[in-house]
Amino acid sequence: MKTLKLIIAMAAFLQFWGSSSQAQIKVGDKIPAFSLQDQNGKTFDVSTVLGKQPLVIYFYPKDETSVCTKEACSFRDSYQDFQHYGAMVIGISSDNVASHRSFATHHNLPFTLLSDPKNEVRKLFGVPKTFVIPGRVTYVVDKKGIVVHEFNSLRDGEKHVTESLEALRKM
């Protein structure tokens, strides 16, 4: 009986603090439709770019934190490479529009940052979290909206860029 109670308690703990990756978008899946506010307060609707260009959509925990800043600056430093492949880079976190605007200005980020304050798009994609830390997952999406590559690493933000460029090269 004690063992059963312990298993139930552990399951409840993991459900509350973790996130099931069973619903996570995977390679071969079509991305869900979504719209969010960008760093300039304009509504970005993903359906307006599907069919036109590949997308690199990266979810990150928080503006101005160490790994997130390194990741964003790495995307910035490789931005011309993404343009070479015709890809649009989109960063998504729960930070508000003003935070994104400040983050983009502070680090000269030339790409779109989307505000997902209720984590609705994060949940649509099934981005897992580690305990209470939102996950860091990047999706490379072809023109048709199909995920061709997915990379998940909370600690290695810069590798999200190299993984994305390699996936675009193979497309």
Side-chain angles (χ1 to χ4, degrees):
M1 191 65 168
K2 263 188 169 177
T3 304
L4 180 59
K5 285 182 181 181
L6 181 61
I7 291 171
I8 291 170
M10 289 292 288
F13 174 81
L14 291 174
Q15 186 174 21
F16 179 76
W17 290 104
S19 175
S20 172
S21 61
Q22 291 176 0
Q24 186 176 357
I25 299 289
K26 298 285 186 199
V27 171
D29 291 345
K30 187 170 178 82
I31 63 167
F34 67 88
S35 63
L36 292 169
Q37 298 292 304
D38 70 13
Q39 70 265 38
N40 299 311
K42 295 181 181 173
T43 299
F44 171 85
D45 186 337
V46 74
S47 67
T48 64
V49 295
L50 289 179
K52 297 178 183 173
Q53 64 191 120
L55 305 173
V56 176
I57 301 171
Y58 79 96
F59 290 87
Y60 65 101
K62 186 146 183 62
D63 293 343
E64 297 294 355
T65 57
S66 176
V67 177
C68 294
T69 299
K70 287 178 186 174
E71 178 182 32
C73 289
S74 187
F75 273 110
R76 176 202 63 207
D77 295 346
S78 298
Y79 191 67
Q80 285 188 327
D81 296 327
F82 288 100
Q83 287 187 313
H84 170 77
Y85 293 112
M88 180 178 196
V89 176
I90 302 166
I92 302 175
S93 81
S94 62
D95 294 298
N96 65 33
V97 169
S99 177
H100 280 339
R101 185 173 31 256
S102 175
F103 186 51
T105 301
H106 182 215
H107 298 287
N108 299 311
L109 305 179
F111 50 86
T112 302
L113 295 178
L114 299 178
S115 176
D116 186 18
K118 296 179 183 174
N119 290 312
E120 293 168 336
V121 174
R122 183 177 286 275
K123 289 173 187 168
L124 277 176
F125 276 74
V127 176
K129 60 183 174 178
T130 304
F131 296 104
V132 295
I133 301 170
R136 181 184 316 282
V137 179
T138 299
Y139 300 92
V140 178
V141 181
D142 70 12
K143 288 181 184 181
K144 297 175 186 172
I146 305 299
V147 175
V148 298
H149 185 75
E150 176 257 333
F151 181 69
N152 182 346
S153 173
L154 193 57
R155 293 185 181 181
D156 196 350
E158 294 160 292
K159 191 167 182 186
H160 286 258
V161 175
T162 57
E163 287 272 333
S164 297
L165 287 170
E166 181 61 21
L168 287 168
R169 187 187 67 74
K170 290 179 180 177
M171 281 177 49

